[in-house]
Amino acid sequence: MENRIYNFAAGPSMLADEVLIRIKEELFSYNDTGMSVMEMSHRSKVYLEIFEKTKESLKRLMDIPEDYEVMFMHGGATGVFASLPLNLLKNKADYIVTGNFSKKAASEAEKYGQVNIIYDGKDNGYSLIPELKDLSFDQDADYVHLCANNTIYGTEWKSFPDTGNIPLIVDMSSDILSRKINVSDFGMIYAGAQKNMGIAGLAVVIIRKDLIREASKLTPSIMDYALSCKNDSMLNTPSTFSLYVLGKVLEWLEEIGGLEEIEKRNIAKAKVLYDYLDNQGFYLPHAQKDSRSLMNVTFTTPDPELDALFASQAGKQGMSNLKGHRLVGGIRASIYNAMPIEGVNRLVGFMDEFRKEHEQ
Ligand SMILES: Cc1ncc(COP(=O)(O)O)c(C=O)c1O
């Protein structure tokens, strides 16, 4: 596509060209209605069809069992950091802290109940995912919370702990739809949409039905899971356009072969970058090998000034947003589902030129 660059942003991030083209085609008049989806009533027949289709294709793609509910919420993943304890934290909960967002989720929950931080990776600079055998859970906890992919540090859980009867609740904001998972291993999965699910303004919550109970009395109606389910995510006006974009992203994923295919592509893309990083001595990867994320690849050059130069020179060559998060510095290449392998190959080519120019 003309004028398109490779956008390595951590979120909001790149959308597939195919998705943007379809949205463009339908922007002024959706399906001969003479109006844009942006202008439609959320209660109209045509919009309700979009809504249902989106929900159904998410269920198909992720193979979501019947005993799970899909909810579309406001407030992004940060909104869920609060709604989760308001709905599910009756007594106490275990939180695993492997990065900034899991820490934020725990701090939010602390406002509403007892939170036990059963692991905190700050001593290793959040460069790894703990070994499952080293984790133990409070058998009386209402739930265990973790973040599947640590967007800032570039680490990702490869497998998840077996928490027995305690529901495992996972923030998948930055790796949902990137690989096959078994939904029934989790009590609840949630994600902000602006990485692999489309655009900002929407959070998706997939929750086992038996966990939807009475929320704390203080819970704002808009965060109440039982109310949300009862109203099929339309207690008020939902994020209509974000939901429509999610539908387009899901359609594209189904067309290319679903999660099996995208997982293969994601493994192949990440391999190109990590293989390169492992065979040179100029760039230093942040994440430890067995904890590496398929979505966010983090590394540094020998000098913060070179990091900045790297990001700015790459930007001039059509590869944008490579500057690392301020908490870790360095460089971060976010290679979500929509990033084509060509973008990764181009980046590695640039990395090698930059290395040759600056290595001493
Ligand atoms: C893993 C993770 N969790 C939560 C968030 C916060 O998401 P939101 O901005 O939708 O509240 C982010 C944002 O980047 C994230 O990467």
Side-chain angles (χ1 to χ4, degrees), residues 110-125:
E110 275 165 3
K111 295 179 186 169
Y112 307 107
Q114 188 187 326
V115 164
N116 302 317
I117 310 283
I118 60 165
Y119 171 87
D120 189 334
K122 67 172 177 297
D123 291 345
N124 57 56

Side-chain angles (χ1 to χ4, degrees), residues 10-11 75-79 81 101 147 149-151 171-174 192-195 202 336:
T78 306
F81 294 168
F101 290 110
C147 177
N149 182 70
N150 299 287
T151 324
D171 174 1
M172 289 195 187
S173 292
S174 49
Q194 63 274 19
K195 303 164 203 294
L202 176 70
Y336 297 118

